[in-house]
């Protein structure tokens, strides 16, 4: 069940994060005013990503990949591309992405101009999006 929740919630995280990133990019390009709705979109992306972090950690320790890693050891796990992706690369890159989203949200609050607020969100949420798109286990996700 946790795996299904983590898998399903991933769609919401991607939709809201891509929405917040594009909104921020358009905000910079068209010199828009930074309004409450822009703040809310960035905040939802932050909250959704943090929920996925918690689901990810639970998923990690109940995953057969984790049990398998404990059985064969880290050395052998690192040699197996799928096991390495699920037990090392995916969690680490997702945690780094969520740190970037958190930094982006807290830094944008300190910015005074609308353009600087949008730019900060576009940069940090954009970098996070690249990491997430790079290390989602796509094959496994769409294998069903
Ligand atoms: C924004 C953050 C994250 C996103 C978008 C995300 C997305 C995904 C997706 C799409 C899958 C494939 C699900 C499937 O096969 O149906 C997955 C699997 C997995 N994720 Fe994440 N994840 C995130 C964060 C994390 C974190 C932080 C951890 C661990 C600390 C984690 C641990 C796992 C594990 C262990 C699996 C494989 C579970 C299994 O097949 O047994 N994820 N994740």
């Amino acid at each position: 069940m946790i795996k299904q929740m983590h898998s399903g919630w991933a769609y919401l995280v991607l939709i809201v994060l891509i929405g917040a990133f594009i909104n921020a990019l358009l905000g910079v390009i068209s010199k828009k005013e930074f309004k409450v709705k822009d703040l809310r979109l960035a905040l939802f992306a932050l909250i959704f990503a943090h929920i996925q972090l918690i689901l990810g950690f639970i998923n990690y320790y109940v995953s057969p990949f984790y049990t398998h890693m404990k059985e064969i050891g880290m050395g052998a796990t690192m040699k197996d591309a799928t096991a390495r992706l699920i037990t090392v690369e995916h969690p680490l890159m997702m945690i780094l992405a969520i740190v970037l989203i958190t930094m982006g949200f807290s830094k944008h609050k300190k910015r005074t101009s609308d353009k600087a607020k949008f730019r900060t969100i576009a940069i940090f949420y954009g970098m996070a999006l690249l990491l997430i798109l790079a290390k989602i286990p796509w094959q496994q996700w769409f294998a069903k």
Side-chain angles (χ1 to χ4, degrees):
M1 192 188 71
I2 284 289
K3 181 179 171 184
Q4 294 308 326
M5 285 170 72
H6 187 69
S7 179
W9 196 261
Y11 290 101
L12 286 177
V13 173
L14 284 178
I15 291 167
V16 178
L17 188 57
I18 291 169
F21 170 65
I22 292 174
N23 182 62
L25 211 55
L26 292 176
V28 173
I29 296 165
S30 57
K31 299 189 174 56
K32 279 194 319 178
E33 191 191 336
F34 191 88
K35 296 186 179 154
V36 174
K37 74 163 182 62
D38 305 305
L39 171 75
R40 282 223 187 94
L41 192 51
L43 181 59
F44 276 129
L46 176 83
I47 295 169
F48 282 27
H50 282 219
I51 291 171
Q52 186 69 336
L53 178 71
I54 297 164
L55 290 175
F57 270 106
I58 302 170
N59 197 13
Y60 190 83
Y61 292 106
V62 300
S63 169
F65 285 96
Y66 177 67
T67 322
H68 184 59
M69 178 177 72
K70 283 203 298 182
E71 280 158 13
I72 66 171
M74 192 48 117
T77 300
M78 292 305 278
K79 289 194 187 90
D80 173 335
T82 308
R84 186 178 65 235
L85 171 66
I86 297 286
T87 56
V88 180
E89 296 167 351
H90 173 70
L92 284 183
M93 286 304 157
M94 297 304 121
I95 292 166
L96 187 55
I98 296 164
V99 168
L100 287 169
I101 292 169
T102 311
M103 284 172 64
F105 191 80
S106 81
K107 280 180 181 297
H108 105 275
K109 288 193 284 185
K110 298 185 186 92
R111 302 286 181 259
T112 47
S113 78
D114 294 331
K115 187 172 182 183
K117 286 178 184 289
F118 279 124
R119 191 177 47 227
T120 304
I121 291 171
I123 292 170
F124 282 87
Y125 283 35
M127 289 194 287
L129 198 50
L130 284 179
L131 289 181
I132 291 173
L133 295 175
K135 287 299 174 188
I136 273 184
W138 295 101
Q139 233 178 350
Q140 174 183 306
W141 199 22
F142 295 132
K144 288 173 230 57

